[in-house]
Amino acid sequence: MTYVDGFVIAVPGDKRADFIAHAEFVDAIFIERGALRVVECWEDDVPDGKQTDFRRAVAATDGEKIAFAWIEWPSKAVRDEAMAGIMDDPRMTGAPSAPFDGKRMIFGGFTPVVDLRA
């Protein structure tokens, strides 16, 4: 069964290119370490909610955009082994600077329970 890591982050709107450069660098390492797919998305239609929303969830400020991403893994075991290796990978020290405040990132691992495809 596949396993999915999900992320939501606030990124300064003028740092979109920096965000993409960082993502492309790091995501290539995820793929090399066994990820099946990495998808990075930039806010297009993210409405403000009445009780909660993506912006409030990550304490986004004026001028920040929401980035939403996920990584698909073949299994949780592959993900766990890959993440341990990624954190120790010396290339990570050469990654482009993350243009966001990682303390406000929401992330977690998920077991799919429904997977419909066209």
Side-chain angles (χ1 to χ4, degrees), residues 43-91:
E43 162 181 341
D44 178 58
D45 182 14
V46 180
D48 292 337
K50 292 185 179 182
Q51 290 189 320
T52 191
D53 56 40
F54 280 110
R55 283 183 194 2
R56 282 185 257 191
V58 294
T61 60
D62 287 342
E64 288 186 320
K65 301 295 184 180
I66 303 303
F68 173 70
W70 69 90
I71 305 171
E72 295 176 20
W73 300 96
S75 67
K76 185 174 188 303
V78 169
R79 178 267 207 166
D80 290 348
E81 183 176 333
M83 286 302 217
I86 288 166
M87 295 306 134
D88 293 333
D89 192 311
R91 292 174 293 174

Side-chain angles (χ1 to χ4, degrees), residues 4-104:
V4 177
D5 282 317
F7 309 87
V8 178
I9 8 179
V11 183
D14 63 349
K15 298 290 186 185
R16 185 176 192 259
D18 295 339
F19 172 78
I20 292 169
H22 174 79
E24 287 176 337
F25 184 94
V26 174
D27 294 351
I29 297 172
F30 287 133
I31 293 293
E32 181 183 304
R33 296 273 182 166
L36 301 173
R37 180 180 182 206
V38 182
V39 178
E40 303 273 358
C41 306
W42 189 261
E43 162 181 341
D44 178 58
D45 182 14
V46 180
D48 292 337
K50 292 185 179 182
Q51 290 189 320
T52 191
D53 56 40
F54 280 110
R55 283 183 194 2
R56 282 185 257 191
V58 294
T61 60
D62 287 342
E64 288 186 320
K65 301 295 184 180
I66 303 303
F68 173 70
W70 69 90
I71 305 171
E72 295 176 20
W73 300 96
S75 67
K76 185 174 188 303
V78 169
R79 178 267 207 166
D80 290 348
E81 183 176 333
M83 286 302 217
I86 288 166
M87 295 306 134
D88 293 333
D89 192 311
R91 292 174 293 174
M92 292 298 285
T93 61
S97 295
F100 52 83
D101 178 1
K103 291 181 233 139
R104 292 187 288 140

